[in-house]
Each structure stands twice: as C-alpha cells, then as structure tokens.
Amino acid sequence: MTKSYEVNDIQVLDGLDAVRLRPGMYIGTTGLRGLHHLLSEIVDNGMDEAANGYATTIEVVLNRDKSITVIDDGRGIPVGIHDTMKMPGVQVVFTQLHSGGKFNTEHYNYSGGLHGVGAAVVNALSRWLEVEVYRDGMIYYQRFESKEENGSVHAGKPVTDLEMRGSTDKQGTKITFLPDDRIFDDIEMKEEIIAKRLKELAFLNKGIKMIFKNNRTVEPASEIFYYSGGLVDFVKYLNEDKSAIHSEVIYFEGERDGIKAQIAIQYTDSYTESIFSYVNNIPTSEGGTHEIGFKAGVTRVLNDFVKKQNLYKGKNGGLIGEDFREGMTAVISVKMNNVQFEGQTKTKLGNTEARTAIESIVSEGLQHILEDIDNQSTLEMILNKAISTAMVREAARKAKDLTRKKNSLESAPLVGKLASCTGRNPKINELFIVEGDSAGGSAKQGRDRQFQAILPLRGKPLNVEKKRLDQVLANEEFRTIISALGTGIDEDFDINKLKYDKVIILSDADQDGAHIRAILLTFFFRYMKELIANGHVYIGMAPLYKIEKGDKIRYVYSDEELKKCIKEMGRGYTLQRYKGLGEMNPEQLWETTMNPVKRSIVRVSIEDAAEAEKLVTILMGDKIDSRRQYITTYANFNRQDIFQEMGV
Ligand code: 0RA
C-alpha cells in the first residue's frame, strides 16, 4: 500500500521542465544573447527548409505584445501521427527534446551545434506558443502554454489538440511565441541585432529572401534582405568603404568528405586582414580548424605561383602566410555534420577533419581560378601586394635590428644633435626634447650638463599616425630619440635600459607647439607605452610673461597669475610676453623652465597620451571644424585656450 503510493509519487521531470531548470545548457544565457537565441532556433528551422530547396522566404515579425512571429514557406511541419510517440508531428516537434532528427535525416542534414535542439526549447522557455501549418491545402493550428500548478511551472503544455482550421493554397509554417519573463532578464528583442542577423543569413544563403517587420514602432517598419550574389555580395558589402585592388570578387566552392565550403575573397589596399567564417550559418568568431585550413590553402597556392614565376628574391626565407593576408577580406561558409564548438564563447570550430577538407577545397578552387587566363591581372595584383608586404616586413626587421644594435653599443656616438649629459646616473638624468633650434641652443647653454641632456627638434616630427613601424624607424628624429633613451622600441622595449628618469617635452604654447607635443606623446603611447605608464614622460611649462619693476623680476605662467601679479606690482612695471621658447636667453630658460627647484613640469598620464593620440588624428585629418574645436578646447597642458579667451 505505502509502496505503491511511493511509486506514484515519484516525479519524473518532464523534458521541457528540465530545460527551464537549466536554460543555460540549451541557449547559453538568459540575457540578451539567450533571448535572441530563441529566435535563431526557429529561424534556423526555416533556413534548413530553405537550404534543402523547400523554402524561399523567411519572415520575422516583432509584435506589439512583445511576442515574435516567424513565417516560412517550406513544407510545413508534419501533421500526421508519429509512429512511436502517438501524437501529431507538430506536437512532437514542440514537446520532445531532440526531435528534429527523428523525421527524415536524409532531408535534414546540417543542423549545427547549439542550434537544432530547436523548437521544443523555444516552447519550454515561452509563456505561450502558437503554430500554424499550411500543408496539403489545409491550415492546422495548435497552442502551447506554460502552466502554473501548485507553485511550480509546467512548461510548454498543449492547450489545444492540433486543429484543422479551414483551407489554404499556401505552404509553410508560422510560429508565434512570447519569451517567458520569468526566465529572461528582458524579453524585448533588439531590432538591430535581428536585422543584422537576418542580413547575414541572406548573404550566407543566396537567393533566400529574409523579411523583417517591426510592428512595435509607431510607424510599422519593414526591411527585405535578399542577395542573389550570396557571399560575393557579402564581401562587396564588407569592402564598401575600402579600395579593392581587383574588381572581381574571387569565389569558389567545393566538397570533401561530406564537408562543404563556399569561399569569397577580395583584396583591398588596407593593411588589415578581415576573415569572417561560419559553420552551418553560425558565426565562428574565434576561428578554428576551418580557418586554419583556409589560411594554409591560400598560403600554399599563392606561394606556388610566387615560386613558379620566381618573383621574390628576398633573403631570410620566402613569403609567410601573413604576407598573403594583408588587405584580404574573406568570407568562409562551411556546412558539415557533428559540429564541435570550442573556445571561450563556443565560437571556435574544433573538428580536425575540417582543416584538411577546407585546405584541399581552397588549394584546388583558388589555384583553378587564378590559373584562368581572364584572372591574370588579379593574380598579379595579389602577388605584388604580398611581395611588397614581405619587403616592408623585411625592412622593418632590419631597421629594428639596427636600433637594437645601436642600443647595445652603450657609448656609441649618437646621431643627430643630441647634447648628452656628463653624468651616467639614469635615476637622475633628464632628457629635454626641445622645439626648434634656437630654443635648443639656449637650453644647451642654460642647462646643468651634469644631468641634463638636450635634444632639439627641427620642425615637426613625422606624424606616426597611419605610419608603419618601419617608416617610423626610418625617421631620423625618432631614431635619435629611440637611441637616446636606450630602451629599444615596440616589442623590444625594455624599461630597464632607460637612460633618463625624466623625458621632458618642451614646446611653445601655440598651435604648432601643441601639435608637436601631441605627435611625440602619440609616438610614446604607441611604441613605448611603459615609458608613460611608469611616469617618465613630462611636459615642461615655460612662462608666458616676464614682469619687471626696478630690480624685481617675476615670471608668470598663466593669465590668472598675470592679473594678480600686476596688482601686486602696482604702477611702473614693464611686461614682456614670450611668443616662444626661442625668445628666452639661456639664463632665463634655466631659471624658469629647467631648474628643478623652480620649474613647473606636468607628468603625463596614460589617459593624457590616449587623448593626445585622438588629437593627432583630428589635427591631421581633413575635418576642419573638429580640428578647430579640438585645438581650442584641448586644455590639458595647452595654454592655447587662454590665448583664445584673451583674443590674442
Ligand atoms: C520535420 C520534418 C520535416 C519538416 C520539418 C520538421 C519542419 C520544421 C519546421 C520548423 C519551422 N518550419 C519548419 N518547416 C519544416 C519534413 C517534412 C516532410 O518530409 O514533408
């Protein structure tokens, strides 16, 4: 008696209830990403129909009540009674986990990873779900709800049988669901995320029409994504704002061991590589085996052409993979079964068989295309670009070796006009980088040569913005700075070799001075970040005015201070305004700007330097308005703003 009671009392957790217990296991998160995952599950089912040639159009509608509708014109979910489950196919699809494959696997290849558990999970995590199937001239309808019973929720229960509701000449499936606000942090899907995803799917599946309607806005909005060119259109779109170096997008596809790949490539004159890869329509932003195979294939094919034509005579080996990818925009779309996703965000393909398959597809497809007589100019452009990349790489390496060598020679005579100090204590030595030869001259005479070194800069230094390391290293002024500091640069930078405790930038308090300062800070920020981070970089502040009365001399650093000083002095003073450092004689420069007990210097923080980098971009760019705006408001170490206020 008691025993049978116990047996009946055993609670078997319904599959859908298990989903609610651990939503993370099925959709990753219950945040925004997980919420949109619900929509993906449904859209993916429609995409599977489309991929197998049964559907042409998928429509997503955001409804006013926060529910979402997805309509496809595929075959419609089967409505017949399932042999073993003894219920209509529709009900199986929405209430049984992993039911997707129980139908006809032959028609149902390529459902990827997290996706494919599908419709039942969506039902389990919704308040309610309604489905309409248009099939064999009939409309079928069924509704599911999450029901609360004695305080616990039972997920996705059918509240109607599958009903026939009249006839139709349409074919397909329409699913509407309301995500459960007891599961998700927020159930409002984001228009931008959906639109981006539908656009991506339209690119990845050429000829499929993706429609997006938003009925939540005051004016209902609708967008259609349709690309007859597929991946070729995708690459053109990605390169819209760049300059391509060959007009036709390279496209090929192939299949090896049941793994299919479509690949589109176009090179631009930019220095970056942008590869976007997908597996079963899912973005693999962390890359993985298919990308490795792709890169290996590209390197092999292009290197074969280089060798065959004997194009590159560089020493130190031939071209490397990266040489062939500078400026490359590529989209790789792979379709395969039994996908394994790895990595931090599960967006990295792990299947080893994908590497060899894709490499082989690329080797054959790319070679074939580039051998084509019509594509010889494209081939030439690509190979020339790779070779010049390799040459630049070589040059940069040589230049780096050069500075490294220079730095290793402790007492080597320094190039340029550095006046080094006599003392050898890097804990107290100071390097002044001074704008202009005349100020440099005064500084050299006025300094304490025991611990102060002077490096005059003639004109503006090279703007490092948009310059590559080799170009920076080719610049005499920067080479001198690098040599003087002794630290090396970039990856080779070693703070322990620093020969000066303080690197002090001395420039005029005008626009040119601000510009020079910004360029230098940007250089340090980009290539010697630690120098700033460890607090070795300073801005020197030269006075703006000298006030004299009788034997009293005062140097004034701001206009605020000037007003006060004039009051104190009373009548009969003489005022000199310094237009630049060059107007000061050596004694004055020492007194006001260099003497450690009297001067005022400002230490540069990383934030200042980051700001300076932005400033350089604007100063160098052609947006006149923002340039003016920036120069006049950028006040960190710049008294330009004060000049403006005074109308000087
Ligand atoms: C199982 C089997 C078949 C189609 C589908 C599921 C199917 C599911 C969804 C979900 C949204 N739209 C859908 N369209 C189809 C194949 C049925 C057949 O062989 O006729």
Side-chain angles (χ1 to χ4, degrees), residues 483-522:
S483 274
L485 294 179
T487 53
I489 179 169
D490 207 33
E491 297 155 18
D492 301 326
F493 183 85
D494 182 357
I495 194 90
N496 297 315
K497 296 195 179 139
L498 182 61
K499 293 196 205 153
Y500 301 93
D501 180 62
K502 294 186 176 64
V503 177
I504 303 168
I505 300 170
L506 267 191
S507 63
D508 290 336
D510 57 12
Q511 279 194 19
D512 274 351
H515 197 178
I516 288 170
R517 204 156 52 216
I519 290 173
L520 288 171
L521 289 182
T522 303

Side-chain angles (χ1 to χ4, degrees), residues 324-343:
F324 293 113
R325 295 196 299 274
E326 190 180 279
M328 169 196 267
T329 302
V331 179
I332 306 164
S333 175
V334 173
K335 301 273 168 75
M336 63 184 289
N337 283 317
N338 306 317
V339 180
Q340 288 153 21
F341 286 115
E342 301 174 345

Side-chain angles (χ1 to χ4, degrees), residues 42 45-46 49 72 74-78 93 100 103-104 107-108 135 173 175:
I42 302 296
N45 286 328
E49 286 292 285
D72 69 64
R75 287 166 295 179
I77 305 175
V93 164
F103 292 86
N104 193 344
H107 296 291
Y108 236 61
R135 213 180 143 107
T173 305
I175 297 165

Side-chain angles (χ1 to χ4, degrees), residues 1 62 148 184 298 400 580:
M1 187 69 186
L62 291 185
E148 230 167 315
F184 294 97
V298 169
K400 247 176 163 175

